[in-house]
């Protein structure tokens, strides 16, 4: 089966490698079809495509859009989008727009826990100041010696009930799917096991997503356990969704799964890339 890796991040959002370094790493790892899916931003696509072309690697432009659905943050991946589409670009800019203010609130909350200078410290780690996110704060907390690893930070800070947590309103599901489809892309629910949804909530999310024209769901992802691959393969079958596969790679020392390293999709599922 084609080694497709359709989810990863560069320095344009919260990854640690450039789009060029990602393309080269994907190629070296045997990826046959690659997509860059930075959070809320398509600024890395031109470089990624050029580097993929130079490496002889098939490439699809992608993006991972942050939305708020039923009070929860959910991520919707768009694959095969035209990164010049004006509605997509304007929509992503509107989603990014709240991040600086949120970053200041995160820093204020950390300050109340005795951690000073977090806004400036996190900004030092952000390759793109419009895309300041929790991962950059996590790297600052590691650098400051407050916790040993980024994964450990996310157990003690930046999450609900802990210092540095700030509720935030992202985009809408309907808009995200509309922007992706309007830009010629295919919409995919990212890492569905990560949202803490009940069975009923998840069903409602998928039904709303399908009504809006959403077509796919991630099954084999670096953000799922092997047991969750099986569970979401069943969801894809029952709900009539295409299946996607991607490492969600953020960097060499931080990510569970390397580019192109995950098991294949179960053979009976229809891959989101079936007609590409
Ligand atoms: P943001 O969009 O600013 O809320 O940041 C979300 C990002 O934080 C995700 O895309 C991950 O890169 C990172 N993240 C969230 N939870 C964890 C976790 N438990 N361990 C490591 N990284 C995490
Ligand atoms: Mn991330
Ligand atoms: Mn995500
Ligand atoms: Mn991701």
């Amino acid at each position: 089966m084609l080694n497709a890796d359709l989810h990863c991040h560069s320095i344009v959002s919260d990854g640690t490698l450039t789009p060029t370094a990602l393309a080269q790493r994907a190629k070296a790892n045997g990826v046959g079809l690659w997509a860059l899916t930075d959070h809320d931003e398509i600024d890395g696509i031109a470089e990624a495509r050029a580097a993929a072309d130079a490496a002889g690697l098939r490439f699809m432009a992608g993006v991972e859009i942050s939305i708020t659905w039923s009070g929860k943050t959910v991520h919707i991946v768009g694959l095969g989008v035209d990164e010049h589409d004006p509605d997509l670009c304007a929509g992503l800019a509107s989603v990014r727009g709240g991040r600086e203010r949120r970053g200041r609130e995160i820093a204020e909350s950390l300050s109340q826990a005795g951690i000073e200078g977090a806004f400036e410290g996190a900004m030092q780690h952000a390759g793109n100041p419009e895309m300041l996110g929790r991962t950059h704060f996590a790297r600052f907390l590691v650098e400051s010696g407050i916790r040993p690893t980024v994964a450990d930070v996310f157990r003690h800070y930046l999450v609900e009930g802990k210092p540095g947590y700030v509720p935030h309103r992202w985009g809408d599901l309907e808009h995200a799917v509309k922007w992706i489809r309007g830009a010629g892309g295919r919409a995919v629910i990212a890492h569905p096991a990560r949202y803490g949804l009940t069975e009923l909530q998840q069903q409602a999310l998928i039904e709303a997503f399908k009504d809006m024209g959403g077509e796919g769901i991630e099954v084999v992802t670096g953000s799922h356990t092997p047991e969750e691959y099986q569970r979401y393969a069943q969801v894809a079958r029952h709900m009539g969704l295409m299946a996607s596969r991607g490492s969600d790679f953020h960097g060499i020392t931080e990510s569970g799964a390397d580019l192109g390293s995950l098991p294949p999709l179960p053979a009976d599922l229809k891959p989101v890339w079936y007609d590409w």
Side-chain angles (χ1 to χ4, degrees):
M1 187 191 259
L2 178 67
N3 186 346
D5 192 321
L6 304 180
H7 189 148
C8 70
H9 299 273
S10 78
I11 53 168
V12 167
S13 63
D14 61 356
T16 59
L17 299 184
T18 62
T20 299
L22 288 170
Q24 291 166 353
R25 190 174 183 90
K27 180 68 182 179
N29 287 2
V31 172
L33 176 65
W34 175 55
L36 175 66
T37 56
D38 275 310
H39 298 284
D40 308 327
E41 175 67 278
I42 38 70
D43 224 32
I45 296 300
E47 181 188 327
R49 181 180 288 115
D53 285 352
L57 172 61
R58 281 186 62 211
F59 176 74
M60 300 298 285
V63 65
E64 182 177 18
I65 306 179
S66 313
I67 64 156
T68 302
W69 183 83
S70 210
K72 307 231 183 210
T73 298
V74 170
H75 288 170
I76 303 295
V77 165
L79 296 172
V81 292
D82 168 8
E83 72 272 22
H84 303 296
D85 182 85
D87 290 340
L88 174 66
C89 293
L92 295 178
S94 73
V95 176
R96 288 195 300 276
R99 280 185 176 268
E100 176 174 344
R101 170 144 175 218
R102 171 192 187 234
R104 296 205 182 272
E105 291 171 3
I106 290 173
E108 176 58 33
S109 167
L110 289 172
S111 161
Q112 281 165 19
I115 298 165
E116 301 302 336
F119 183 85
E120 295 72 20
M123 261 306 177
Q124 293 278 317
H125 289 273
N128 172 1
E130 281 185 36
M131 273 307 303
L132 181 64
R134 286 186 294 159
T135 312
H136 306 116
F137 282 92
R139 290 181 188 140
F140 163 73
L141 294 175
V142 171
E143 177 189 62
S144 306
I146 288 165
R147 302 302 314 182
T149 64
V150 164
D152 187 74
V153 169
F154 278 100
R155 287 189 279 273
H156 298 91
Y157 294 91
L158 309 176
V159 293
E160 205 166 343
K162 307 285 182 186
Y165 175 72
V166 170
H168 189 73
R169 174 88 207 178
W170 301 106
D172 291 334
L173 176 65
E174 188 180 356
H175 292 150
V177 175
K178 201 171 73 182
W179 298 331
I180 291 165
R181 286 168 55 80
R186 199 161 262 168
V188 175
I189 298 175
H191 43 65
R194 294 280 69 81
Y195 307 127
L197 300 175
T198 65
E199 200 79 10
L200 275 178
Q201 287 173 323
Q202 182 170 282
Q203 181 112 358
L205 168 65
I206 293 173
E207 276 166 7
F209 173 74
K210 284 187 67 176
D211 283 348
M212 293 163 189
E215 297 173 276
I217 193 165
E218 287 185 347
V219 170
V220 174
T221 143
S223 299
H224 281 175
T225 63
E227 190 263 326
E228 288 164 347
Y229 306 161
Q230 300 310 318
R231 185 169 346 138
Y232 284 91
Q234 275 302 84
V235 170
R237 291 179 191 109
H238 284 142
M239 301 300 292
L241 290 165
M242 290 187 263
S244 192
R245 172 178 185 266
S247 55
D248 208 355
F249 182 76
H250 281 71
I252 294 160
T253 57
E254 284 179 22
S255 284
D258 202 346
L259 286 160
S261 70
L262 292 173
L265 289 177
D268 64 302
L269 298 182
K270 185 177 182 182
V272 287
W273 62 85
Y274 81 99
D275 60 348
W276 291 343

